[in-house]
Amino acid sequence: MNSLGVRFCRVLKTPGMTTPRRVSRGRMFSIQADLPRLPVPSLQQTLDKYLTTISPITTPEEFTTTEQIVKKFASNEGPKLQKLLEEYAVGKESWLAEWWLNAAYLDYREPCVINSNPGMVMPAQKFNSDDDWLAYAARVARAAVDYKSLIDNESLEVEVLAGKPLCMVQYYNIFSTCRVPGLKRDRLVCYPPNKPNAPRHIVVMHNNQFFSLDMYGSDGKPLGEMQIHKLLSKIVAKSQDEGPAVGVLTTGNRNTWAKTHASLLKLGDNPAHLDKIEKSIFLLCLDKQPRETHDPSADELSRSARQMLYGDGTKASSTNRWFDKTLQFVVGRNGNIGLNYEHSPAEGPPIAALLDHIQDYINKGRESEPSKGTTDIQHLSFTVNGSIEKAIETAKTEIDIFGSDVQLTAHNFTGYGKNFAKSIKQSPDALIQVAMQLAFYRDQGHPCATYESASTRMFQLGRTDTIRSCTPKSLEFCQAMSSGSLDRTALVNVLTEAITAHRKYTAEAVSGQGIDRHLLGLKLIAIQNGMNVPELHMDPTYSKALHFNLSTSQVPCKSSTVLCFGAVVPDGYGFCYNPRPNEILFVTSSYKNCERTDSQNLANRLCESLMDIKALFPATAKL
């Protein structure tokens, strides 16, 4: 979380609602101009909801103090800032979009890796030979380009949610996009297919070395899998020795990386090589067998999560990455498959849809037609000097320290899945969120500020708002389950009220009536107009409300895919989950240097809480 109190958004589905479905096939942007614009909620509504959301996490004294600050804001600078924000919104596709891109991402100075970039773990494979490994990597690359063609032709079906069409612009931003470091603020560069000289190549990394691979033949058609396989084999043969670990520089502080980036640009052919990386359609990281991992005792799924999140250390694959690239597919010789993605251009739905497409493409086992006139690979050999070598060694030390502090626990809960929630006529996401509230309460003995992302793609250029899953009703349920004073029927009633409260907040947030982006907008409009930051935003309670000890997201995928990310505060947890019909795949994260948190303990508490909730419905015990 950055100094503006903005937490990164990682959820790939609007929680508590049905999965976005696709309507009749047509052009992606056929409804774009007809989408409504993100509204500015009413001031009093936001302030009233703010007081409600902080009540479970504040002491009576803190609440009373904040209540007086809110009343003062409502009668003094609040209405003026509200008017300025409403005026600012006039004529804009989205009053939030540019602010959000900068405040949440490009102004953020801490490393992208772990803090912002999620990893996604796909089903593991077993490779009996290098040939098997590279053949699979070729299929992944070909499937990704196949999906890109749907975006290039604008032939993806428009998604709808709760009967309303969604903005599809984010799909256009995932390929040929890259973040570029800058002092104070980064840049985001995108090279769309409808512009002259649109990129045709990907960049392949192996043994820290970079190669450009043209994915299209002279006839303009994508290469076939066999052609890609042959070129990948050539790349591996040419990179048996480790190259300078230039990629690890992308793991550092953004200002530090910006200075080193400027130095790189002054040497040899580095400007052309950096340009190739930035313009590439995506990166394909071919990871060799790790020499050593940060958590050798972890199970295979947890180790795979580490590999996708940050490369699992410099003796594994952390140096074989470019964390500024929007899409980095990872195909490990150890059979671990997935990706890492830089978050600023888009939320997760385009990434989830892409992975589902890749998995379907591979499962069908079809062989694509070869193209004509392949282009040879190009080795991007970076020139480094003494100061850059020193920066590389520093970055390697820092990512090993940072990464080894991360505790990741991946788990496949098989007690039940979303079918059970539906059988008791409840939202699967809301039920899991309430279960996590109970798990945290049992783990820590108190409630906490909780983040869950709500998609606002019903609006033009929609991004996200916050679902605050810790509610007065969820706290009441946690206390009731802990006290043992209520019978089963009463507990079911309290649970239902907690789930209903979560669903209500979700529906309001996706409809543009959340409070977090509105409060952020009021703060930023004050700064923009040379006014003091309001007392409301300086209140310790506001900081407490933004200290998300639980940062959560739901990632629905057809396959057994699960997303992972680091906790967003030092004493907090990350929690990501993929609810499937009869199981729930999830990953919890924490930091080892905090004695109060342990991701394995939280995972155990969650499984316990999920089963305790099911026990409240004995008639469904066999589901």
Side-chain angles (χ1 to χ4, degrees):
M1 187 162 57
N2 66 15
S3 60
L4 286 171
V6 178
R7 183 265 186 213
F8 295 100
C9 316
R10 298 180 169 104
V11 174
L12 286 91
K13 178 194 171 199
T14 302
M17 304 185 73
T18 54
T19 303
R21 63 182 176 85
R22 294 179 173 88
V23 294
S24 58
R25 188 173 297 277
R27 295 181 69 82
M28 287 170 58
F29 303 123
S30 59
I31 50 79
Q32 187 67 25
D34 298 326
L35 291 175
R37 295 177 179 181
L38 183 69
V40 177
S42 80
L43 180 62
Q44 194 58 53
Q45 172 184 287
T46 291
L47 297 180
D48 289 344
K49 288 171 70 173
Y50 173 62
L51 289 174
T52 299
T53 61
I54 65 169
S55 62
I57 62 171
T58 53
T59 65
E61 294 77 16
E62 289 172 335
F63 185 84
T64 299
T65 298
T66 297
E67 188 177 35
Q68 293 304 312
I69 292 172
V70 167
K71 288 180 180 179
K72 180 181 176 183
F73 180 79
S75 59
N76 293 322
E77 70 265 51
K80 181 178 180 180
L81 293 176
Q82 176 76 3
K83 183 179 179 182
L84 287 171
L85 184 57
E86 290 171 349
E87 291 172 349
Y88 176 78
V90 173
K92 290 182 173 61
E93 287 183 276
S94 169
W95 61 265
L96 178 63
E98 183 177 357
W99 274 348
W100 183 248
L101 176 64
N102 291 330
Y105 300 107
L106 302 185
D107 290 344
Y108 188 67
R109 299 293 85 195
E110 294 304 309
C112 294
V113 64
I114 300 174
N115 290 315
S116 174
N117 288 23
M120 294 191 74
V121 182
M122 297 174 70
Q125 305 296 313
K126 180 176 176 57
F127 301 132
N128 295 318
S129 66
D130 286 357
D131 201 57
D132 287 350
W133 169 44
L134 298 180
Y136 193 88
R139 286 194 289 273
V140 170
R142 182 60 182 85
V145 169
D146 186 71
Y147 189 73
K148 181 180 182 295
S149 68
L150 300 177
I151 296 174
D152 292 353
N153 298 329
E154 299 183 5
S155 59
L156 280 181
E157 300 165 1
V158 176
E159 291 181 335
V160 300
L161 181 63
K164 296 182 179 180
L166 303 182
C167 177
M168 299 292 288
V169 167
Q170 291 182 30
Y171 283 80
Y172 223 53
N173 296 336
I174 61 173
F175 290 106
S176 302
T177 301
C178 193
R179 182 168 175 164
V180 180
L183 292 174
K184 296 185 179 180
R185 174 177 291 174
D186 292 353
R187 293 183 295 118
L188 190 65
V189 294
C190 183
Y191 302 91
N194 60 347
K195 299 295 182 182
N197 302 315
R200 297 164 44 98
H201 68 284
I202 66 172
V203 167
V204 180
M205 291 191 70
H206 176 253
N207 241 344
N208 305 343
Q209 299 196 48
F210 299 79
F211 295 83
S212 175
L213 190 162
D214 194 331
M215 288 294 290
Y216 298 85
S218 58
D219 57 1
K221 296 180 180 179
L223 303 186
E225 282 95 331
M226 292 297 292
Q227 292 171 309
I228 301 170
H229 183 184
K230 183 178 180 180
L231 293 172
L232 294 181
S233 297
K234 191 172 184 178
I235 286 171
V236 170
K238 284 181 173 290
S239 55
Q240 288 299 299
D241 296 327
E242 282 192 357
V246 177
V248 78
L249 294 170
T250 63
T251 66
N253 173 278
R254 301 307 295 176
N255 287 339
T256 302
W257 168 216
K259 293 174 183 177
T260 309
H261 185 271
S263 298
L264 274 173
L265 286 170
K266 297 176 182 178
L267 299 175
D269 293 328
N270 291 351
H273 300 338
L274 290 169
D275 187 65
K276 278 283 188 181
I277 293 172
E278 292 166 12
K279 289 181 177 177
S280 63
I281 298 170
F282 56 81
L283 253 68
L284 175 62
C285 303
L286 302 176
D287 286 357
K288 61 184 181 181
Q289 290 282 5
R291 289 173 291 167
E292 184 180 314
T293 65
H294 279 163
D295 192 358
S297 64
D299 61 86
E300 289 186 11
L301 185 59
S302 298
R303 286 201 301 270
S304 183
R306 302 186 79 92
Q307 188 172 346
M308 302 310 145
L309 182 63
Y310 71 98
D312 206 9
T314 59
K315 292 184 179 180
S317 303
S318 292
T319 57
N320 200 51
R321 298 285 187 275
W322 195 266
F323 287 103
D324 288 0
K325 193 65 185 172
T326 301
L327 289 177
Q328 291 190 97
F329 294 101
V330 177
V331 181
R333 182 62 179 84
N334 58 6
N336 291 340
I337 313 295
L339 63 77
N340 182 281
Y341 83 94
E342 199 284 310
H343 209 322
S344 60
E347 265 66 62
I351 313 300
L354 166 62
L355 290 187
D356 280 341
H357 182 89
I358 290 173
Q359 201 65 53
D360 289 344
Y361 185 101
I362 291 173
N363 290 343
K364 289 176 181 177
R366 63 186 186 189
E367 194 73 31
S368 59
E369 292 290 329
S371 64
K372 297 178 181 178
T374 60
T375 303
D376 198 9
I377 58 173
Q378 178 188 357
H379 187 199
L380 310 179
S381 180
F382 280 93
T383 301
V384 298
N385 58 20
S387 65
I388 292 173
E389 289 176 347
K390 183 178 179 180
I392 287 172
E393 291 306 310
T394 299
K396 289 168 71 173
T397 299
E398 290 177 350
I399 188 57
D400 277 335
I401 292 172
F402 190 14
S404 62
D405 189 38
V406 175
Q407 183 184 13
L408 283 179
T409 301
H411 188 80
N412 184 14
F413 173 76
T414 57
Y416 58 87
K418 58 186 178 182
N419 285 352
F420 165 71
K422 293 177 180 179
S423 74
I424 59 173
K425 296 180 172 56
Q426 299 293 354
S427 156
D429 179 75
L431 186 147
I432 294 169
Q433 283 288 327
V434 172
M436 177 49 79
Q437 289 298 308
L438 179 57
F440 184 90
Y441 188 86
R442 287 170 166 175
D443 182 64
Q444 298 290 317
H446 59 81
C448 72
T450 306
Y451 182 99
E452 186 181 12
S453 179
S455 172
T456 54
R457 287 176 56 215
M458 291 180 184
F459 305 98
Q460 291 186 35
L461 305 183
R463 296 291 306 239
T464 64
D465 210 321
T466 305
I467 301 168
R468 290 189 166 268
S469 302
C470 180
T471 65
K473 290 298 182 181
S474 70
L475 176 56
E476 184 179 341
F477 173 70
C478 294
Q479 292 170 334
M481 288 291 286
S482 301
S483 69
S485 60
L486 299 182
D487 62 20
R488 185 182 65 82
T489 300
L491 286 172
V492 168
N493 290 336
V494 178
L495 170 65
T496 301
E497 289 176 354
I499 290 175
T500 300
H502 185 273
R503 295 187 68 181
K504 181 177 183 293
Y505 201 109
T506 298
E508 293 169 351
V510 301
S511 300
Q513 300 301 313
I515 67 170
D516 281 72
R517 304 301 179 262
H518 186 198
L519 290 172
L520 173 65
L522 294 170
K523 177 180 179 179
L524 293 179
I525 200 69
I527 295 171
Q528 185 167 293
N529 283 272
M531 301 167 61
N532 292 330
V533 173
E535 184 184 5
L536 183 151
H537 298 85
M538 303 297 288
D539 178 19
T541 293
Y542 186 69
S543 297
K544 189 174 186 178
L546 291 172
H547 189 87
F548 293 111
N549 291 103
L550 266 180
S551 175
T552 73
S553 66
Q554 177 182 190
V555 187
C557 291
K558 297 176 185 177
S559 63
S560 299
T561 297
V562 66
L563 183 143
C564 57
F565 52 83
V568 299
V569 294
D571 58 343
Y573 289 109
F575 169 56
C576 192
Y577 51 103
N578 177 12
R580 293 167 58 75
N582 298 302
E583 63 184 1
I584 304 170
L585 286 169
F586 68 84
V587 179
T588 55
S589 63
S590 60
Y591 295 108
K592 297 174 185 176
N593 64 12
C594 179
E595 296 180 354
R596 298 192 304 276
T597 58
D598 184 301
S599 65
Q600 183 63 62
N601 287 348
L602 185 68
N604 294 341
R605 291 290 194 181
L606 177 60
C607 293
E608 173 189 286
S609 297
L610 287 166
M611 292 308 297
D612 285 350
I613 286 175
K614 187 176 183 181
L616 298 176
F617 302 89
T620 62
K622 295 182 180 181
L623 288 175

